[in-house]
Structure formats: C-alpha cells, structure tokens
Amino acid sequence: METFKNPILPGFYPDPSICRVGDDYYLVTSTFEYFPGVPIFHSKDLVHWNQLGHVLDRSSQLNLDETPCSCGIYAPTLRYHEGIFYMITTFVVTRTGERKNFYVTATDPEGPWSDPYWLQSAPGIDPSLFFDDDGKCYYTGNRVPAGGEQYPKQREIWLQELDLDKQELVGEKIVLWDGAVKQAIAPEGPHIYKVEGKYYLLIAEGGTSFTHSVTISRSKSIKGPYEPSMTNPILTHRHLGKGYPISNVGHGDIVQTQYGEWWMVCLGSRPYGGDFRNLGRETFLVPFTWEDGWPVINPGKGMIELEMPKPKLKERKWSLSPACDHFDKEKLSHIWNFVRTPRGDYWSLKERPGFLRLKLKPETIMEPSNASFIGRRQQHKNFVVRTLMEFTPLEEWESAGVILLQSSQYQLRLECRLQNNNKVVQLIRRSDGREETLQEHPLNVSKIFIKIEAVGQQYSFYYGEKSEEWNTFIENVDGSILSTDIAGGFVGTYIGMYASSNGQTSDHYVDFDWFEYVGDPYEQ
C-alpha cells in the first residue's frame, strides 16, 4: 500500500482551507503579521503541493503597519463558484481590539486577486462562505453572544446572507450553534457543506492548544436548528496525551475527490525536545468516511498519523525548489516573506545582480514595525542554514546578520556590528524582551560565511572567512524560546536576513550572496 507522510505542509502553515475545481485542488493558510499574505497552493493528488503565489500580495490589499505579533490575517477560507475563486478572512487589528472581515476574488488562483471587499456589521473572526443550490451565498463566522460572555471565550456561530452584487451582508443574522460541549471554549472556524440534502456545520472548539478539536452538527435547513453528532468531537488528540507526536489538531476543512473519497485538512503541531512547538501549527491530511450520516475520521483509529495510505488519485509531484537561493532571479521566491507590509525601497535584487541587498532602516525587529528583514519558515526539527554575507559597519548603531525569529520579544540574532570601533560578531538572545549576548568574537573581514545547525532544540552557530572552513562560534544553544509554548502567539519560527541602523538614519547596506536551507528529509 502506498503511503504519504504528514504534515503535507510542514512548518508555519495553520488554519488550512481547501477547495476542488475539477481535478485540481487549491489550499490557503493563515499568515498573521507576515507579507505577502495567504499563500495559495495547487495539488493534483492532495499530497504534493506547489505554491502558486500569495492571495494578498499588494499593499492596497494588506496594510500591516504596526500590526502586533500574531495579529493580522487569521483563518482564510477558499471557495470556488461559477468561475470565480473567493478568499474570505479576518484582519485582526490587535489581540483585544477590532476585527475586520473581508473577501477578495479572482478568476485565476495565481491572480491577480481583487482589492478587498470590506464587510460592515460582520463581528467576530473566521468567516466562511457557502453557496447553496438556489444561488444564494451565505456568510458564517463566530462572535461574542449578543448578551455578552457568560464565561471566558464564549462564542456562537452565526449566519447571514451575502449579496455578492452589492458586496454586503443582507437580511437577519441567525445564531446556528455554540459548540458541542457545554460551555464550549472558543467555537470558531465554521464551514457549511451540503451532503445528500443535509447541511453540515463543521467547527473548531476547545481553544487552539492541547485541547483543540473538530466538532460537527447538521440540519435539514441552512438556518437550523442544528443537531450535534453524538460522536463529537469527531477529531481531537487531547485524549492521546502529550507523548503522541502530533498535538493540538483542529480547524478542519473537508473535500470530496472526483472519485468519491473524502478527506480533511486541518492544523496540528509536532512538539519536540519537550513540549515545544518551534515549527508552529502545520497542515495535516486525514481521510474519513460517512456512517449513519456522520463523518468517521480515519476509521478504526480516529486520529491523524505521521504516515497514512495515499488518496486514490494519480500521483503528481512538482519540481523541488532548490535548497540554495542564489538571488539571481528578477523576483524573490515565494518562500520569502517580509514582516509587515514592506515600506520604502529597502531591498533589491538589481542593485548588485546575483545578491540580495538589504538597506539599513531605523526600524528594528524588536518592535512592531516593518524592519529590514526577509525570512522563510523553519520547516524541520533538524536543519542546516548557510549564507555568505558582506557587511562592514561604519557606525556603532549599524548591525546586520541572520536571525531566528519567533516574535519581537523572542529571537536569536547572529549579527555583525562595531564595538569600541572594532568589528565583532555577536549572538544575542532576546527572551521576554530582555537581551543577553551569549557569545562575541572579533571579526576582521567584510565577507563572513554563516552556518546554523539545529538538532532538535539544540541550535549551533558557526562562522568562517573562507568557504567550508568553519569556526565554532557557539554550540547547543537552547532553542525552546522560539516555541509558541514559551513565546505565546500563533506563529512558527522564521529564519532570515536582517539589517538595522537601530533608530538612526543610515545610507548603508548589507549584501547576501546566497542563502541555503537544508532540512532533514527523513524526520517525522
């Protein structure tokens, strides 16, 4: 029996949403404060995915200025109807402040996608769209009950018709469900489907950590009343204990293949080195069947496994992206992201062909700003990163290097700077906003080779003045501060290139010749 390995999208790819168009499958995930927003993937077999680009790739679509860490774009839903793709999502302004819901459209999933249609009087988060047989479109999301919270994180799922011609919600708001468990925590991520004449409402509840789960209810009418399944939660791993390799599964979306099989995509995490999730929440795939009108996830087991039988679809692999980016293209690869919407002309692939140039900005990565940073996700527990950097600081406030970034308050920075008019390379650990220099070494060259090796939670740092002639800088640094379990929030670790003039004005820059990321292909 042929099998595939979970997760299908390793690293920080949470809140997956999927749709099928003929023989093609498309999937999107959350991006929070990172830009471009909402990566979109294409697959033919549900296992191998090729990134087409990003849905929100223009500043006119996504203004993340001063967006706090783990705010921004939450839980997109992707749907297709009569030749048009719809992506609807929430922009979370602050963790406790305003939520703004909007959707964009495209006739081609590669784009261009429209500018946002902002929806008024749409409280809560995690919007989804459902197109009924009569042509009507319905919006569903979660919200605080009209009478206010009676207990912490009390929410209810609500429904309203969406007039696509006017781009506005119309008619009355109808409360559908408040979760399967009495006093359910954070019912969210709702999706409606119609299967054999019945409406099914799939949601997440139990919070996004260890007790996360997927529950379901059904009704003869889209407006309810909805009957919960007696087998709820239909998917959770909270009963498996913290030793199971996949944790906090939830936030599912389902799809039926052209051959009749049913599959669910959902988020989950792979803790390692203890109960630490440096990789963030990842995208997993699991089959299910229907029994007595209800889904049965992975029959006989009821859980997601690291290796599972493949879908009965013709395998379609895509060309692998090169491990090393030589920055010799006209555009950045889709793997690269900025933190918040890029403002100013601070990076270039053209000023020095074959190099990525980052100009020093006053903004730093230690504040909710658009710092001079370009990074990619950590996707493996064990990996090696290497790069060649050219930088000669001219002032003591100038710095540049490589960063392992969890948030503005939790990070590891290997950077070059001046100290007492001498060039040094330093490893700085920032934890809960407090900084500590773990190691420092004098440096007398403008070109520096940098290598980071991670084996589980042990991160080791090396440098060299010549290719493959490595000097040990510091080994076995505890990387658990890069996990959401310590740092909080909802994102995974990023690895990237960084430069700053730390509050001062500077015309200086740093050049990166190439950047290589190699993950362990055999790990699970």
Side-chain angles (χ1 to χ4, degrees):
M1 179 181 294
E2 290 189 289
T3 61
F4 73 93
K5 291 184 177 181
N6 267 314
I8 53 172
L9 292 179
F12 165 53
Y13 291 107
D15 308 321
S17 178
I18 192 170
C19 72
R20 177 173 70 89
V21 182
D23 296 341
D24 296 285
Y25 299 85
Y26 301 96
L27 185 148
V28 294
T29 69
S30 297
T31 42
F32 296 86
E33 70 265 32
Y34 287 96
F35 186 98
V38 187
I40 183 164
F41 298 88
H42 173 224
S43 179
K44 286 284 191 178
D45 60 11
L46 290 175
V47 172
H48 301 97
W49 293 88
N50 177 50
Q51 188 173 350
L52 300 176
H54 291 83
V55 175
L56 305 175
D57 59 5
R58 306 187 302 275
S59 59
S60 62
Q61 296 172 304
L62 183 57
N63 179 359
L64 291 164
D65 292 352
E66 299 181 357
T67 298
C69 296
S70 287
C71 293
I73 296 298
Y74 279 35
T77 294
L78 182 67
R79 295 294 181 257
Y80 177 83
H81 181 68
E82 295 184 350
I84 299 176
F85 290 88
Y86 297 81
M87 191 286 295
I88 188 167
T89 188
T90 305
F91 183 93
V92 174
V93 180
T94 67
R95 292 284 290 277
T96 58
E98 189 176 5
R99 282 90 170 96
K100 300 179 180 179
N101 290 294
F102 70 91
Y103 69 95
V104 293
T105 62
T107 55
D108 185 336
E110 292 191 60
W113 289 76
S114 71
D115 279 348
Y117 299 106
W118 296 95
L119 298 173
Q120 305 300 315
S121 300
I125 62 172
D126 296 3
S128 183
L129 296 179
F130 172 75
F131 296 89
D132 210 345
D133 299 334
D134 59 5
K136 290 184 177 181
C137 178
Y138 292 91
Y139 172 109
T140 186
N142 88 339
R143 68 178 186 183
V144 175
E149 289 184 342
Q150 302 303 308
Y151 57 88
K153 296 185 179 180
Q154 181 187 12
R155 299 293 184 269
E156 60 188 16
I157 307 301
W158 63 280
L159 174 89
Q160 192 171 10
E161 186 179 344
L162 174 61
D163 187 323
L164 294 172
D165 293 327
K166 297 180 179 178
Q167 294 95 41
E168 63 182 30
L169 295 170
V170 297
E172 65 174 327
K173 287 180 172 62
I174 300 170
V175 176
L176 302 182
W177 197 30
D178 60 0
V181 178
K182 185 179 181 180
Q183 295 194 349
I185 299 298
E188 58 191 16
H191 298 302
I192 292 178
Y193 317 90
K194 195 171 187 179
V195 181
E196 295 186 355
K198 292 183 179 179
Y199 296 90
Y200 287 84
L201 174 58
L202 187 80
I203 73 168
E205 61 179 89
T208 59
S209 58
F210 182 71
T211 54
H212 209 24
S213 66
V214 178
T215 60
I216 196 166
S217 61
R218 70 184 179 190
S219 174
K220 295 179 180 178
S221 167
I222 192 169
K223 297 181 180 180
Y226 279 82
E227 162 203 6
S229 172
M230 294 294 290
T231 61
N232 278 323
I234 59 170
L235 178 63
T236 188
H237 280 191
R238 61 195 182 206
H239 63 296
L240 299 177
K242 293 187 177 181
Y244 192 72
I246 306 170
S247 183
N248 57 276
V249 301
H251 204 105
D253 197 6
I254 65 176
V255 68
Q256 185 181 26
T257 72
Q258 59 269 38
Y259 302 113
E261 284 189 315
W262 287 90
W263 291 83
M264 176 185 288
V265 292
C266 67
L267 67 78
S269 298
R270 291 177 293 160
Y272 65 99
D275 195 24
F276 301 114
R277 298 161 178 79
N278 300 40
L279 300 173
R281 297 172 300 160
E282 310 172 284
T283 291
F284 291 78
L285 179 69
V286 63
F288 69 94
T289 59
W290 294 87
E291 290 185 7
D292 301 323
W294 296 107
V296 178
I297 307 297
N298 192 10
K301 297 182 178 180
M303 61 186 181
I304 302 174
E305 300 171 276
L306 289 173
E307 189 167 353
M308 306 191 74
K310 282 184 177 179
K312 294 177 182 178
L313 295 168
K314 185 177 180 180
E315 185 177 74
R316 173 64 163 89
K317 294 183 178 180
W318 308 96
S319 297
L320 295 176
S321 299
C324 188
D325 193 333
H326 291 277
F327 303 122
D328 52 5
K329 301 275 195 298
E330 292 186 358
K331 295 181 179 180
L332 283 172
S333 164
H334 294 321
I335 66 168
W336 297 110
N337 291 132
F338 305 95
V339 60
R340 303 175 185 85
T341 307
R343 303 297 185 188
D345 184 23
Y346 66 87
W347 67 276
S348 175
L349 293 170
K350 298 178 180 179
E351 290 187 11
R352 187 181 179 186
F355 289 76
L356 171 65
R357 174 163 292 179
L358 281 181
K359 299 176 183 179
L360 277 62
K361 296 179 67 178
E363 292 83 0
T364 76
I365 204 73
M366 290 78 79
E367 57 193 8
S369 64
N370 171 230
S372 184
F373 163 89
I374 294 177
R376 55 153 298 147
R377 293 162 175 84
Q378 178 185 336
Q379 295 183 278
H380 301 81
K381 304 172 189 177
N382 309 311
F383 68 86
V384 178
V385 159
R386 300 188 307 168
T387 189
L388 173 56
M389 180 179 77
E390 294 188 27
F391 179 59
T392 301
L394 304 177
E395 304 287 350
E396 294 209 355
W397 57 76
E398 296 179 342
S399 62
V402 176
I403 182 172
L404 293 154
L405 176 66
Q406 166 54 226
S407 70
S408 59
Q409 302 302 302
Y410 291 86
Q411 54 197 239
L412 293 168
R413 304 193 312 272
L414 184 67
E415 58 185 28
C416 295
R417 60 190 314 144
L418 285 181
Q419 187 161 289
N420 300 321
N421 292 319
N422 296 311
K423 185 177 178 181
V424 297
V425 58
Q426 298 176 326
L427 180 67
I428 299 169
R429 175 171 59 196
R430 184 174 178 86
S431 178
D432 198 22
R434 296 184 295 272
E435 297 206 344
E436 177 185 4
T437 300
L438 300 183
Q439 185 64 279
E440 180 178 297
H441 197 279
L443 198 64
N444 299 313
V445 295
S446 61
K447 291 184 180 180
I448 177 174
F449 292 85
I450 295 172
K451 180 169 71 168
I452 303 172
E453 291 187 358
V455 179
Q457 293 294 349
Q458 302 303 309
Y459 290 69
S460 297
F461 299 80
Y462 306 88
Y463 73 100
E465 298 179 4
K466 295 181 180 180
S467 178
E468 299 306 321
E469 294 185 8
W470 298 108
N471 302 301
T472 299
F473 189 66
I474 186 171
E475 294 184 315
N476 300 326
V477 175
D478 182 9
S480 61
I481 65 163
L482 302 174
S483 72
T484 54
D485 307 274
I486 290 179
F490 303 115
V491 304
T493 301
Y494 266 74
I495 309 164
M497 298 154 284
Y498 167 65
S500 180
S501 54
N502 294 287
Q504 305 295 320
T505 300
S506 174
D507 295 325
H508 204 18
Y509 56 83
V510 56
D511 288 336
F512 292 90
D513 192 353
W514 44 266
F515 190 101
E516 181 183 61
Y517 174 96
V518 179
D520 182 350
Y522 301 106
E523 74 175 33
Q524 284 258 277

